[in-house]
Amino acid sequence: MKLELLSLCNTNRATAAAILQSEPIRVLVTGAAGQIAYSLLFSIAKGDVFGKDQPITLLLLDISPMMPVLEGVVMELQDCALPLLKEIVATDNVEVAFKDLDAAILVGSMPRREGMERKDLLKANVAIFQTQGTALDKYAKKTVKVLVVGNPANTNCLIAMKSAPSIPKENFSCLTRLDHNRARSQVAMRCGVPATNVKNVIIWGNHSSTQYPDVHHCKVNVTGSEVACYEAVKDEAWLKGDFITTVQQRGAAVIKARKLSSAMSAAKAICDHMRDIWFGTPEGEFISMGVYSSGNTYKVPSDLIYSFPVQIKNKSWKIVEGLAINDFSKAKMEATATELIEERDTAMEFLAK
């Protein structure tokens, strides 16, 4: 027992020494006074995303009227007494927030209000993400990894990317991991297995109600052996019907029940997404994320941020190629691409003005 305690003490000392020697990475969260950020910041600060021995400098950006609320968030983070959290910078100044970033998680966006046309929503968000893309271009490291969460996430990501021409396009992605996790969980519940027993679901396209949750390449571990999802579920009508609509409309269902949008599950998905960028995806598995579509082999139109199945290694993603696409899937993939083209073209009109 004494030897075990001594070994544990030595391990803790070694971990503490590694933390002291490591250079903090600079991580930005925008919309930092909002409910998604409130669910997210603790996980980032305690090492669940970027590693248990990686010190963090947290940069928290929000609009000026939200600064008093953000001060309360900072107090709570301080009161957590987290060893990895080296510094917290709360600001409404983009130059301060975007300086020398290693990672940027862009959560803040203009929400759709009652009576607001989609075109008006796009116009407001083009202005926000053009400003933030320009700030990334001017102040952040060229190696910065940028995750766009604020909706409409795919098109907001495209605008930020186009406004930061000196940063590689591959460094930008948008969040469809929440949809991916929703699909995975629905299959797991249907089969009566843990969600970890389900892998390789795919979200194609837009983070909207046109997204296509695809399980044609999904595997489910049932009683110790992996089988195809269709074989495990044994209900094709459900997989091609209620399963798809449940995932597509899950966000609206949460809002109807909570009177607030998804926050806990969105924060978990952000953590999953960024952790996989930092540490890679497991061998033989792929996840879903919105990435730049140009050069893909699935005949998805170019110049979109479109959700694909990807594998990640050394902080670089690669679209999984060679997956068979049947006519059912092709029609769904084309429908969500059509919506993204319309969003892009409308956004680009505003960007040109």
Side-chain angles (χ1 to χ4, degrees), residues 299 301 306 329-339 341:
K299 298 181 180 177
Y306 187 101
S329 294
K330 185 180 177 184
K332 298 283 189 187
M333 290 165 66
E334 287 175 353
T336 191
T338 298
E339 182 183 56
I341 290 167

Side-chain angles (χ1 to χ4, degrees), residues 193-210:
V193 299
T196 48
N197 285 26
V198 180
K199 70 179 187 182
N200 298 352
V201 301
I202 302 169
I203 304 297
W204 298 99
N206 201 2
H207 175 61
S208 75
S209 59
T210 69

Side-chain angles (χ1 to χ4, degrees), residues 128-150:
I128 293 168
F129 285 88
Q130 182 180 19
T131 298
Q132 294 187 354
T134 301
L136 284 164
D137 199 55
K138 192 171 182 181
Y139 303 118
K141 293 177 182 176
K142 302 310 174 191
T143 54
V144 64
K145 300 298 185 184
V146 183
L147 169 59
V148 175
V149 178

Side-chain angles (χ1 to χ4, degrees), residues 35-87:
Q35 62 156 351
I36 292 176
Y38 192 79
S39 295
L40 170 67
L41 292 170
F42 178 70
S43 293
I44 293 174
K46 78 183 182 76
D48 290 349
V49 180
F50 299 102
K52 297 295 184 184
D53 58 356
Q54 177 58 65
I56 300 279
T57 293
L58 263 182
L59 297 109
L60 308 179
L61 178 70
D62 217 311
I63 56 176
S64 300
M66 296 302 293
M67 293 310 291
V69 177
L70 192 53
E71 286 176 18
V73 175
V74 170
M75 284 189 270
E76 286 214 67
L77 283 166
Q78 292 167 339
D79 295 349
C80 289
L82 297 164
L84 292 175
L85 187 54
K86 295 304 177 188
E87 186 180 5

Side-chain angles (χ1 to χ4, degrees), residues 28-32 59-62 70 91-94 97-98 132:
L28 166 67
V29 177
T30 71
L59 297 109
L60 308 179
L61 178 70
D62 217 311
L70 192 53
T91 183
D92 58 1
N93 185 322
V94 293
F98 284 82
Q132 294 187 354

